């Protein structure tokens, strides 16, 4: 039985992936390693520390990992200051529908807790979530299940009775490994991600509500 819904943030609630792509590309280009946007897809759903550690190893970058993370964060903050926090189309209304239906809601994101809270506040949905967590608060980031399992624990709900909403390979793998039902969100404006771990894939939140998600959960669980 569906008892709670847990959202990823970047690419599900907030249209922020472009800020990661552009800032990392600029930093790598400056270091003499230009890359195509598609290079960054492998890191979608992971933490800043993880992605920069991997890029540091691959390109033999000279600075410490945390220096690159800081640089990326500063560049992304400038972009958000200029553009504002962009919601994923239909996401804030979707969250409000679920909240009004009385479902416990959580956020399990790889962004920093400060950024998560700031974004949810900007979208006017901060009060809809009982639990908000960053992967930085658990031992292993996505695709490990840690952050989803901890959000479920804090919500007081068994993972088997949770549904996670993700838009990336790393994120959907995390939900699947946590033993939850996964709804994959494919945003039509972005290239298709590998969502084979998702139990269902949607391209819009407009038709989704508590009853639709409960039915998906029930069908996947087979009872």
């Amino acid at each position: 039985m569906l008892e709670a819904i847990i959202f990823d943030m970047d690419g599900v609630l907030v249209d922020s992936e472009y800020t990661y792509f552009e800032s990392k590309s600029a930093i790598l280009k400056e270091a003499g390693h230009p890359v195509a946007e598609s290079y960054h897809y492998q890191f979608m759903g992971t933490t800043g520390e993880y992605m920069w550690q991997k890029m540091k190893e691959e390109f033999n970058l000279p600075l410490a990992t945390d220096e690159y993370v800081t640089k990326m964060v500063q560049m992304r903050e400038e972009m958000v200051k200029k553009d504002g926090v962009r919601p994923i189309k239909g996401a804030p209304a979707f969250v409000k529908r679920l909240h009004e239906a009385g479902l416990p809601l959580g956020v399990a994101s790889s962004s920093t807790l400060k950024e998560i809270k700031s974004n949810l506040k900007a979208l006017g949905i901060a009060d809809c979530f009982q639990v908000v967590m960053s992967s930085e608060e658990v031992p292993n980031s996505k695709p490990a299940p840690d952050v989803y399992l901890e959000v479920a624990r804090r919500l007081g709900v068994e993972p088997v009775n949770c549904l996670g909403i993700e838009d990336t390979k790393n994120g959907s793998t995390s939900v699947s490994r946590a033993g939850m039902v996964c709804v994959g969100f494919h945003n039509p404006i972005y290239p298709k991600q590998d969502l084979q771990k998702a139990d269902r894939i949607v391209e819009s939140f407009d038709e989704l509500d508590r009853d639709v998600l409960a039915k998906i959960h029930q069908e996947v669980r087979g009872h």
Side-chain angles (χ1 to χ4, degrees):
M1 180 180 151
L2 180 60
E3 293 180 5
I5 294 169
I6 305 173
F7 287 81
D8 173 42
M9 182 183 72
D10 295 295
V12 172
L13 298 174
V14 180
D15 181 10
S16 52
E17 299 293 4
Y18 79 98
T19 66
Y20 286 101
F21 297 162
E22 291 180 20
S23 58
K24 286 187 291 174
S25 288
I27 294 167
L28 287 174
K29 187 177 180 182
E30 190 185 333
H33 304 284
V35 296
E37 183 184 281
S38 56
Y39 170 79
H40 301 297
Y41 298 164
Q42 64 185 306
F43 298 119
M44 289 172 75
T46 61
T47 62
E49 285 72 16
Y50 174 86
M51 60 180 82
W52 277 108
Q53 184 57 42
K54 290 294 181 186
M55 289 187 286
K56 182 174 162 60
E57 291 166 8
E58 182 176 346
F59 298 114
N60 196 25
L61 300 172
L63 303 180
T65 300
D66 60 351
E67 291 182 73
Y68 288 111
V69 172
T70 300
K71 207 170 183 181
M72 176 185 75
V73 168
Q74 287 171 343
M75 291 178 77
R76 291 185 61 239
E77 283 176 350
E78 287 303 315
M79 288 183 217
V80 172
K81 212 176 280 181
K82 180 167 67 77
D83 301 339
V85 176
R86 296 181 181 175
I88 292 292
K89 184 177 175 291
F94 174 40
V95 169
K96 287 173 183 173
R97 283 198 299 279
L98 295 176
H99 178 61
E100 284 161 12
L103 266 180
L105 304 178
V107 171
S109 171
S110 295
S111 291
T112 64
L113 195 58
K114 178 187 171 190
E115 185 175 354
I116 299 166
K117 289 182 173 179
S118 170
N119 284 342
L120 296 180
K121 187 177 178 184
L123 297 183
I125 54 175
D127 293 342
C128 295
F129 296 97
Q130 281 91 331
V131 175
V132 173
M133 273 200 72
S134 164
S135 293
E136 294 181 335
E137 300 174 78
V138 292
N140 303 295
S141 65
K142 302 173 187 178
D146 300 29
V147 69
Y148 275 96
L149 291 172
E150 182 59 19
V151 171
R153 190 189 71 78
R154 292 187 186 186
L155 285 170
V157 177
E158 290 295 324
V160 72
N161 295 324
C162 294
L163 183 147
I165 302 178
E166 276 282 359
D167 68 318
T168 66
K169 179 181 180 179
N170 288 315
S172 55
T173 301
S174 177
V175 175
S176 177
R177 288 177 178 171
M180 302 177 182
V181 170
C182 180
V183 169
F185 172 62
H186 167 240
N187 191 332
I189 69 169
Y190 283 119
K192 269 194 167 28
Q193 291 292 303
D194 177 357
L195 292 171
Q196 60 178 333
K197 291 289 186 185
D199 297 293
R200 295 284 188 281
I201 296 176
V202 300
E203 294 196 346
S204 167
F205 294 134
D206 293 345
E207 306 302 320
L208 297 184
D209 58 20
R210 176 183 180 147
D211 292 342
V212 173
L213 294 181
K215 190 178 179 207
I216 290 172
H217 186 273
Q218 188 177 24
E219 287 171 354
V220 173
R221 291 286 175 235
H223 55 74

